[in-house]
Amino acid sequence: MRIKNIQLKEFKRFDNLTIDLGESPKKIIALVGPNGCGKSSVFDAFEEKLKDFRYRDHEGASFFSKSLFYSEEGTISQPYDKNRSILIQTASGVELQRKSFYIRTAYRFTAKLNVTKIEKISEIQDGQDDPTSSIALDGRLVNNYKRLIEIAYSEFDASGNKTGDQIKQELIGKVNDILSKVIDAKISNLGNVLSGKGQLYFEKGNAKNFPYANLSAGEKEVVDIVLDLVVKVPFFNETVYCIDEPELHLNTAVQRKLLVEIEKLIPDNCQLWVATHSIGFLRALQDELKEKSQILDFSEDDYFNGIKTIKPMKPSRKNWQRIFQTALEDLTGLLAPKKIIYCEGKVSEPRANVEDGMDAKVLNNIFEEDYQEALFISSGGNTELDQRSNIAIAILGKVFSDVEILVLKDRDMNSGKPIDEGGRQLYLKNNKENHRVLKRFEIENYLFDKEVLKKYCVANGLTFNEQKYDTCFPDIINNQVKDQFNIVKSCCNIPGSIAAEKFKINLSDYITSDMIIYKELENEIFNRK
């Protein structure tokens, strides 16, 4: 089961929030943002819906209802009704049921195991050991250990033809495969309740058969999560799994490995919702799991007050920098570009994170999603471009060996005179591999292309005068069109006055990867064609 839409009305601190994941929600939904932005409250909404199928004590209506919590007695206009406050739409239209959600809170830490007797425990679907809200203690490790022991004894009683090693491998083989990758440790022994050793035993490096209690806090966290999912996944096979801040007690490397392994454990027809502000988890979402993930950035706006909608973040360099800032604060420079492209454009007084050149602004805007680790920088005119790029190569090349520096020139590089395609190819042959030249006269020849202007007009309810355009721009590739801004404005029937540079940057918003113009620029810049 996968969720595609949620609406929360007067729930917790939200006035009216809609989470819209689109028609094809992905497997992993990451809720990112600082503490107190509402991430855990989304999980509380799922927990409330579970009360329809799991009859247990809970926090009470005042915990979930914004109107009850904030209003004075006797002023409530409408009583709390979770079916009005929480609306959930699934991708397949399937109705919610007992196993629609499986939730782990951030409040979990089982310091040690000490099971003293063998006993029958509740069925998994009863959920007697589940937390009741995002602030309730999650202590399911003890019961998961008991379930392992119960399965082991059941195997002996049922058939009697399996060895202890066979049973151990079936029970903990999958757990150990994951633990060895994440924390380089394995469960060596299930213990023996009857002899007073009712806990798990481990091996790591040269240390053999040491008890669970001797694991570090981070190692216990990993064992807890992995064991819980391995035990529960066979039952919760049509489920939205929710894990609130699973990074607690974990270092960055372990966080990243753990999320990758959790994704493998969970069936592809299910969904994993993770609330996090962990650098390790974010790196996994940005890299190994980028095709399977959608990011909901709660730091982008105040989603508590008023009618708001949050949609998945576009995976651009700028957006990743913003959410990494939550985890890294002033260390966001760690998200450094791997490819720097020096292009023509004005260079003003240096200002932090400010690009003044129009060409660089346009190109960063066009390629920020598909080339997140590329950065375009203005470097003045043609000769300045060569000088500055050579200095950058000399300095950065020694410090950052994996940073590639490219030089991108307009086709009017011959003292302001255009060169033809043959001259362009000759230039590329006679210069280093990091040099690039645009096929068209300059950047405006791409922005003012008919394909772009038509798309702009459709999006803004304007009528494009194609006949006038064809008359005025007979050769959009080779003609100088930078100074023809008013003609472009007239062809698009744009009323009133507009700023030329701002208009050009706005046009770059409409150049997307499915367009001929995009592929042309991509080949010239990144593929040197």
Side-chain angles (χ1 to χ4, degrees):
M1 186 188 86
R2 294 190 183 184
I3 290 172
K4 70 175 185 179
N5 188 283
I6 304 168
Q7 187 174 18
L8 304 177
K9 297 179 180 178
E10 294 187 5
F11 183 82
K12 299 291 289 286
R13 292 165 63 191
F14 295 115
D15 281 342
N16 191 330
L17 173 67
T18 296
I19 298 175
D20 183 2
L21 299 176
E23 291 302 314
S24 300
K26 295 193 176 182
K27 183 177 182 180
I28 303 175
I29 309 300
L31 287 67
V32 303
N35 293 325
C37 67
K39 304 187 300 293
S40 298
S41 295
V42 176
F43 292 172
D44 277 327
F46 297 158
E47 188 67 51
E48 266 286 80
K49 298 301 285 186
L50 272 180
K51 300 297 191 301
D52 292 339
F53 314 100
R54 189 181 62 195
Y55 303 102
R56 297 179 55 203
D57 293 336
H58 56 87
E59 304 293 344
S62 61
F63 178 77
F64 298 108
S65 170
K66 182 166 187 174
S67 59
L68 281 174
F69 187 80
Y70 288 101
S71 301
E72 297 180 3
E73 187 175 355
T75 64
I76 300 170
S77 58
Q78 190 170 12
Y80 172 67
D81 178 1
K82 67 181 176 185
N83 294 320
R84 183 188 68 87
S85 294
I86 307 167
L87 303 175
I88 298 175
Q89 185 180 9
T90 62
S92 59
V94 65
E95 295 293 325
L96 299 182
Q97 54 176 311
R98 167 62 188 94
K99 61 180 182 180
S100 291
F101 298 101
Y102 188 71
I103 304 169
R104 289 185 59 89
T105 75
Y107 293 86
R108 55 186 182 276
F109 188 80
T110 304
K112 63 181 180 178
L113 285 169
N114 185 24
V115 176
T116 59
K117 61 181 179 179
I118 299 172
E119 58 183 342
K120 176 70 176 176
I121 59 175
S122 63
E123 298 293 333
I124 289 177
Q125 60 265 34
D126 290 343
Q128 292 300 313
D129 53 356
D130 292 357
T132 57
S133 73
S134 61
I135 63 170
L137 183 65
D138 190 338
R140 288 178 270 204
L141 179 62
V142 173
N143 277 350
N144 285 331
Y145 171 66
K146 289 180 179 179
R147 286 189 175 97
L148 289 180
I149 300 300
E150 179 183 314
I151 295 170
Y153 277 94
S154 297
E155 289 287 352
F156 279 117
D157 291 341
S159 60
N161 57 8
K162 290 185 180 179
T163 66
D165 286 341
Q166 287 175 321
I167 293 172
K168 183 173 77 170
Q169 181 57 33
E170 290 177 6
L171 290 177
I172 63 176
K174 184 180 289 187
V175 176
N176 277 342
D177 286 344
I178 298 172
L179 295 183
S180 62
K181 295 174 185 176
V182 179
I183 57 174
D184 194 25
K186 292 184 178 181
I187 298 173
S188 59
N189 199 300
L190 291 177
N192 189 328
V193 176
L194 298 179
S195 64
K197 296 181 177 180
Q199 64 174 306
L200 294 167
Y201 290 81
F202 294 80
E203 61 179 62
K204 183 172 184 176
N206 295 326
K208 308 291 183 183
N209 290 323
F210 59 90
Y212 169 85
N214 288 357
L215 291 172
S216 70
E219 290 171 329
K220 288 174 181 175
E221 185 83 5
V222 173
V223 170
D224 190 347
I225 293 174
V226 172
L227 181 58
D228 189 41
L229 290 176
V230 169
V231 169
K232 303 298 174 57
V233 161
F235 176 79
F236 291 96
N237 54 10
E238 187 66 41
T239 303
V240 173
Y241 288 82
C242 306
I243 307 181
D244 196 359
E245 296 189 7
E247 67 267 20
L248 297 182
H249 316 297
L250 306 181
N251 67 49
T252 301
V254 169
Q255 293 166 3
R256 187 170 183 170
K257 293 175 185 176
L258 178 60
L259 185 58
V260 171
E261 295 303 321
I262 288 175
E263 186 277 324
K264 294 177 185 176
L265 268 179
I266 292 175
D268 286 338
N269 64 307
C270 296
Q271 203 172 37
L272 171 64
W273 287 57
V274 181
T276 185
H277 40 69
S278 143
I279 176 66
F281 273 48
L282 293 176
R283 286 296 289 161
L285 293 166
Q286 187 191 31
D287 192 356
E288 294 96 333
L289 303 173
K290 62 182 179 181
E291 300 301 328
K292 299 181 178 182
S293 305
Q294 290 174 300
I295 314 295
L296 297 175
D297 181 11
F298 280 77
S299 69
E300 193 178 14
D301 197 357
D302 170 17
Y303 290 103
F304 290 127
N305 298 300
I307 300 174
K308 299 290 178 65
T309 296
I310 183 170
K311 294 183 178 182
M313 173 192 89
K314 289 185 177 181
S316 66
R317 174 183 170 81
K318 179 173 63 178
N319 288 339
W320 276 114
Q321 272 194 308
R322 185 180 62 252
I323 65 172
F324 269 103
Q325 189 170 11
T326 300
L328 293 173
E329 295 182 350
D330 60 337
L331 299 180
T332 51
L334 290 178
L335 191 66
K338 291 186 178 179
K339 196 185 298 286
I340 297 175
I341 303 101
Y342 281 89
C343 57
E344 296 184 27
K346 67 179 180 181
V347 180
S348 303
E349 188 71 24
R351 292 179 290 164
N353 298 319
V354 175
E355 172 58 65
D356 288 320
M358 200 273 293
D359 287 28
K361 288 180 181 179
V362 163
L363 292 169
N364 280 320
N365 204 25
I366 292 171
F367 292 109
E368 67 173 358
E369 285 190 40
D370 291 339
Y371 292 86
Q372 296 172 33
E373 294 178 326
L375 180 65
F376 291 85
I377 297 176
S378 296
S379 295
N382 180 37
T383 56
E384 293 170 295
L385 182 58
D386 286 328
Q387 294 168 358
R388 288 194 169 101
S389 61
N390 287 335
I391 294 172
I393 291 169
I395 298 175
L396 294 179
K398 294 178 180 178
V399 180
F400 304 105
S401 59
D402 60 341
V403 175
E404 183 182 10
I405 298 175
L406 304 181
V407 179
L408 175 64
K409 295 189 175 185
D410 293 345
R411 216 190 67 193
D412 65 340
M413 60 185 178
N414 185 24
S415 300
K417 300 175 183 178
I419 59 174
D420 59 18
E421 180 60 16
R424 174 179 172 274
Q425 291 296 334
L426 188 62
Y427 175 88
L428 292 175
K429 287 179 182 178
N430 290 326
N431 283 276
K432 294 180 180 179
E433 283 294 315
N434 69 319
H435 280 247
R436 307 287 193 271
V437 181
L438 295 177
K439 281 188 175 182
R440 301 193 180 195
F441 191 89
E442 53 194 337
I443 196 66
E444 282 82 359
N445 294 69
Y446 298 85
L447 295 173
F448 294 167
D449 188 270
K450 186 191 300 186
E451 183 185 26
V452 181
L453 296 179
K454 278 185 174 181
K455 190 172 180 181
Y456 173 84
C457 288
V458 169
N460 291 280
L462 301 172
T463 302
F464 181 67
N465 190 333
E466 189 168 357
Q467 184 177 2
K468 181 175 183 178
Y469 177 92
D470 291 339
T471 301
C472 296
F473 300 109
D475 188 355
I476 190 63
I477 293 176
N478 298 302
N479 290 347
Q480 203 269 31
V481 299
K482 177 187 289 187
D483 299 330
Q484 307 302 315
F485 172 73
N486 286 328
I487 296 177
V488 172
K489 179 173 176 286
S490 177
C491 289
C492 293
N493 285 290
I494 301 173
S497 61
I498 55 177
E501 183 168 316
K502 178 63 176 175
F503 174 66
K504 294 174 187 178
I505 294 171
N506 287 342
L507 285 178
S508 69
D509 288 334
Y510 295 90
I511 300 179
T512 53
S513 59
D514 58 336
M515 297 171 66
I516 295 172
I517 282 292
Y518 180 98
K519 292 178 173 61
E520 187 176 330
L521 277 168
E522 181 181 40
N523 277 327
E524 292 158 17
I525 298 170
F526 297 101
N527 301 323
R528 204 173 189 255
K529 293 184 178 179

